[in-house]
Amino acid sequence: MGASFAQGTKATAAAPSTSPAAKSSEGKVVLVLGDSLSAEYGLSRGTGWVALLDKKLAEEKIAARVVNASISGDTTSGGRSRLAALVAQHQPAVVVIELGGNDALRGLPLELTADNLTAMTQAAQKAGAKVLLVGMQVPPNYGADYGRRFSGVFVDVAKANKAAVVPFMLKGVADGPDATRMFQADRIHPTQEAHPIILANVWPELRKLLK
C-alpha cells in the first residue's frame, strides 16, 4: 500500500519530555531519538508508543524512565547533530534510534543514512549506552531493489555494531489486513489505534536491553 512508513515533513518538537511521575523516580533512562512516528504527530498527547512505553515500564515494575527527544520531520543527520548533547544531559542506559524514513522521503543517499546511523550507534555505545535501532520500510513505488537495500541498512548497521534492531517498526500496521484504517487521513501517519502495535513490535527487543 502507499503508506508503508510514516514520516513528518514539518520540523516541530517540544522539549525532551518525561512523565511527572518518572521525573521523580530513580532508574535507567531510555532515550528515544525519533521522528514523527515517535513525536505523536497528529495524536493526542500521551497516546503515542513512547508514552505507552513509559506506562509499560511502570506496569512491569522496571526501574526506568523515558526521555522522548523525537522531532517530526527529523532525519538521521538531524539526530546525529543532536545526540551528543542529549546523551551528555540525560546519560541514558539505552538509546532507541527511530530515524531514517525521512531520509528516504527526501531522496538522501543510502550511504549517508547508514553512515549517520553508524555514527549515532557508536557514539551512544562509547558513552556507555545500549542501542536499539528501529527500522523502517518504504512504499512499493520506491522500487523493490531500493526497498530491499533501504530496509537492510538498519539490520546491517545493527549487526556491524552489535546493537539490537527491530527490522520494521510498522509490522502489523502498514502490512496488516486492514492497513488503511491504521493511518490518519494523510495516509502517512499511524492512528492512535496503531501505536499499541508499534510498542508491541519494539518492546521485546527493548526489554532485553533493560535487564
Side-chain angles (χ1 to χ4, degrees):
M1 79 169 259
S4 293
F5 66 101
Q7 317 301 332
T9 56
K10 294 164 59 180
T12 59
S17 61
T18 59
S19 67
K23 289 180 180 178
S24 61
S25 65
E26 296 182 358
K28 299 177 180 178
V29 171
V30 178
L31 175 66
V32 180
L33 189 64
D35 53 31
S36 57
L37 278 175
S38 302
E40 296 189 325
Y41 184 95
L43 303 177
S44 299
R45 297 305 90 178
T47 61
W49 79 268
V50 180
L52 297 178
L53 170 61
D54 212 21
K55 297 175 184 176
K56 181 73 172 177
L57 292 170
E59 292 170 1
E60 297 284 334
K61 294 181 170 54
I62 295 174
R65 61 185 178 89
V66 181
V67 174
N68 191 359
S70 301
I71 298 178
S72 292
D74 206 7
T75 61
T76 56
S77 294
R80 182 175 180 176
S81 70
R82 296 192 292 122
L83 181 62
L86 290 167
V87 168
Q89 178 182 356
H90 300 288
Q91 300 181 343
V94 179
V95 175
V96 179
I97 301 173
E98 182 274 300
L99 290 168
N102 281 319
D103 293 34
L105 194 67
R106 299 180 184 188
L108 300 178
L110 289 176
E111 294 76 15
L112 176 64
T113 299
D115 181 63
N116 286 334
L117 290 174
T118 297
M120 286 187 284
T121 298
Q122 293 178 352
Q125 290 173 333
K126 186 176 181 180
K130 297 177 182 179
V131 175
L132 173 60
L133 292 177
V134 179
M136 188 52 57
Q137 295 180 10
V138 294
N141 58 290
Y142 278 69
D145 181 65
Y146 180 86
R148 176 185 55 78
R149 290 188 295 121
F150 178 79
S151 61
V153 165
F154 303 93
V155 176
D156 292 345
V157 171
K159 183 177 181 180
N161 294 281
K162 295 182 171 59
V165 63
V166 175
F168 185 29
M169 188 183 193
L170 297 183
K171 182 177 177 61
V173 176
D175 58 0
D178 194 9
T180 302
R181 182 172 57 85
M182 291 292 184
F183 286 86
Q184 297 175 38
D186 60 10
R187 292 178 59 86
I188 296 175
H189 296 92
T191 62
Q192 180 177 325
E193 183 181 5
H195 279 261
I197 300 174
I198 294 173
L199 176 59
N201 291 335
V202 174
W203 177 245
E205 292 301 324
L206 179 56
R207 193 181 193 287
K208 295 175 187 176
L209 302 183
L210 292 169
K211 291 183 178 179

